[in-house]
């Protein structure tokens, strides 16, 4: 059966579009490398009709940073807006997460540079460190704002700009705006050498 598909758009900024409009399954991109070059890169996931998360297993490269988001005209609050990043990525310039949930499964999932999670807008961005996250250390500096998605997410966890489902060392440090919320899974601890905290930690979301 037909599943979602991916397409690419190039220009001053370059976009990888994960089309999840098939009811038979979300888009899966694996194998090879997506190189954004010096352009600002975008990974845009449409709302998932099937309820599955889009899977990004290919390697991302480039020097202009990457924004993970949903095309505004295709958003739907009632549909899944998740990207599972399972590959090892080598892009530089940082990353931004806006109005999607990005679940990372390894320490190189978000390349190098600062990760900024914007959980303030209507749909709320969220970063999830998965229960099977390899290595236990995330070196990217994290900058968080907002509460992320409202209510329980499609994966069974409550919202939060950052959700940790396993013990992890955030060696790049953590900066939280006054309205930022971090949620910890049952029994999960976070080791943060550098913390600028004006937001709040909330324990024990379902994982």
């Amino acid at each position: 059966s037909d599943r979602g598909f991916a397409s690419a758009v190039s220009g001053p900024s370059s976009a990888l579009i994960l089309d999840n409009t098939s009811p038979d399954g979300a888009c899966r991109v694996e194998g090879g490398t997506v190189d954004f070059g010096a352009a600002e890169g975008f990974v845009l996931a449409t709302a998932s009709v099937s309820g599955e998360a889009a899977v990004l297993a290919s390697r991302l490269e480039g020097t202009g940073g990457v924004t993970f988001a949903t095309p505004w005209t295709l958003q739907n609050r009632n549909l899944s807006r998740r990207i599972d990043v399972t590959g090892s990525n080598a892009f530089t310039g940082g990353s931004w997460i806006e109005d999607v949930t990005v679940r990372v499964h390894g320490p190189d999932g978000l390349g190098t540079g600062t990760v900024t999670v914007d959980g303030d807008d209507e749909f709320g961005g969220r970063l999830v460190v998965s229960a099977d996250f390899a290595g236990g250390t995330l070196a990217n500096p994290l900058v968080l704002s907002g509460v992320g998605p409202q209510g329980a997410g499609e994966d069974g966890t409550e919202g939060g700009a950052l959700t940790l489902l396993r013990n992890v060392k955030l060696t790049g440090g953590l900066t939280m705006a006054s309205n930022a919320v971090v949620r910890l899974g049952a029994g999960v601890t976070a080791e943060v050498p550098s913390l600028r905290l004006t937001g709040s930690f909330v324990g024990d979301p379902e994982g």
Side-chain angles (χ1 to χ4, degrees):
S1 59
D2 294 332
R3 298 176 66 87
F5 62 91
S7 59
V9 179
S10 298
S13 59
S14 296
L16 175 66
I17 301 172
L18 308 178
D19 189 316
N20 302 303
T21 54
S22 169
D24 295 314
C27 180
R28 182 180 182 91
V29 180
E30 57 187 340
T33 298
V34 177
D35 190 348
F36 293 118
E40 182 181 6
F42 288 84
V43 176
L44 304 176
T46 67
S48 176
V49 173
S50 69
E52 298 178 4
V55 175
L56 180 58
S58 295
R59 182 177 179 87
L60 301 181
E61 296 183 354
T63 59
V66 174
T67 295
F68 297 86
T70 301
W72 176 254
T73 57
L74 297 175
Q75 288 180 353
N76 186 320
R77 178 183 292 278
N78 298 318
L79 298 179
S80 172
R81 294 171 293 105
R82 292 181 291 144
I83 304 172
D84 263 12
V85 178
T86 62
S88 176
N89 294 311
F91 64 85
T92 61
S95 54
W96 293 263
I97 298 174
E98 303 173 354
D99 60 52
V100 292
T101 291
V102 174
R103 182 187 290 248
V104 291
H105 294 260
D108 300 320
L110 295 172
T112 59
T114 298
V115 178
T116 302
V117 182
D118 179 6
D120 287 320
D121 69 16
E122 182 181 2
F123 291 87
R126 180 171 69 150
L127 172 63
V128 177
V129 173
S130 68
D132 63 354
F133 184 86
T137 298
L138 184 62
N140 303 79
L142 302 180
V143 177
L144 312 177
S145 64
V147 299
Q150 298 297 304
E154 302 91 345
D155 54 3
T157 63
E158 292 289 330
L162 173 64
T163 299
L164 305 177
L165 298 181
R166 68 150 291 167
N167 295 343
V168 64
K169 295 180 180 179
L170 303 177
T171 58
L174 179 63
T175 300
M176 297 175 62
S178 60
N179 65 342
V181 172
V182 174
R183 292 189 179 272
L184 306 179
V188 167
T189 60
E191 182 178 330
V192 188
S194 174
L195 175 64
R196 296 180 61 188
L197 173 65
T198 53
S200 60
F201 281 78
V202 180
D204 198 23
E206 297 178 6

